[in-house]
Amino acid sequence: MGYVRGFIPWVVSGGVSAWDWRWGAVAGFVTGVLLFVQDRRRGVAADALVLEAGSILFFILLGGYAFADPDSPAERWNGVLSFAWLAGIAWGSLALRRPFTLGIARRQTPPEYWDHPGFVAVNQVITAVWAAGFTFILGVLAVCEATGAPDWIGWTARIAGLLAPALFTKVYPARVQARMQAQAPDA
């Protein structure tokens, strides 16, 4: 569940943003930097911190904009912007053929498997599922914001759009591994 840590700055930012979006961006940035520095000091490879680095950049940009124009209409679109950024990280990493989950998975997988095509393929699928989850949340939040739909709809989308990829990430690799072992000839 190494990917969960990457979402902590977003949770902190969301909580503080309920009070003030400017300070939510600062809180997300500070939390992101602290976690990033802590991970690097522990020897975590940079490719395992794609989500964290992207988050820090987002909070720098959002914070700069929020303090420059505190009354901007962008404030009400903060949730939409957040999930658009996360979706961009996920889809972008797939387009670059470097799924953001690959570095995270390497932290939990022996090095002899890292270059195996199956290992990379599994992470492409997992990253695509996360990208779809972020995009789903983004779409629902955008519709909710544009139509004034009740908050519970957006919160339900957030829960479903994050829980489904988290569960998939836990189950899918084990299923692929079991299928590969079942197909392997007896030694």
Side-chain angles (χ1 to χ4, degrees):
M1 298 266 287
Y3 56 89
V4 172
R5 186 174 164 91
F7 293 116
I8 293 172
W10 297 92
V11 172
V12 169
S13 174
V16 175
S17 290
W19 171 65
D20 187 311
W21 74 307
R22 296 169 298 177
W23 294 106
V26 170
F29 168 75
V30 169
T31 304
V33 168
L34 290 173
L35 292 173
F36 186 89
V37 168
Q38 183 183 48
D39 282 342
R40 291 298 288 160
R41 283 187 179 159
R42 290 186 316 173
V44 176
D47 71 340
L49 300 171
V50 171
L51 182 63
E52 290 82 349
S55 299
I56 291 168
L57 179 59
F58 174 80
F59 291 124
I60 289 171
L61 296 172
L62 181 68
Y65 182 76
F67 278 98
D69 188 5
D71 298 321
S72 169
E75 176 183 6
R76 65 180 259 219
W77 294 90
N78 189 9
V80 174
L81 294 172
S82 296
F83 282 100
W85 190 269
L86 286 168
I89 290 171
W91 290 118
S93 74
L94 284 171
L96 296 172
R97 297 184 182 270
R98 300 290 302 159
F100 84 89
T101 61
L102 197 58
I104 298 166
R106 285 184 179 147
R107 294 172 67 179
Q108 305 163 21
T109 306
E112 59 266 20
Y113 297 106
W114 292 0
D115 294 325
H116 189 279
F119 180 73
V120 175
V122 164
N123 279 281
Q124 288 173 326
V125 171
I126 291 171
T127 297
V129 170
W130 278 103
F134 297 146
T135 303
F136 167 75
I137 298 167
L138 157 67
V140 171
L141 292 180
V143 169
C144 286
E145 193 58 49
T147 64
D151 286 346
W152 68 265
I153 295 173
W155 284 108
T156 302
R158 284 180 179 98
I159 292 167
L162 294 173
L163 188 58
L167 292 172
F168 184 83
T169 300
K170 182 151 183 68
V171 172
Y172 181 68
R175 286 193 178 171
V176 170
Q177 187 176 23
R179 187 173 58 234
M180 289 175 63
Q181 288 174 344
Q183 293 174 352
D186 292 332

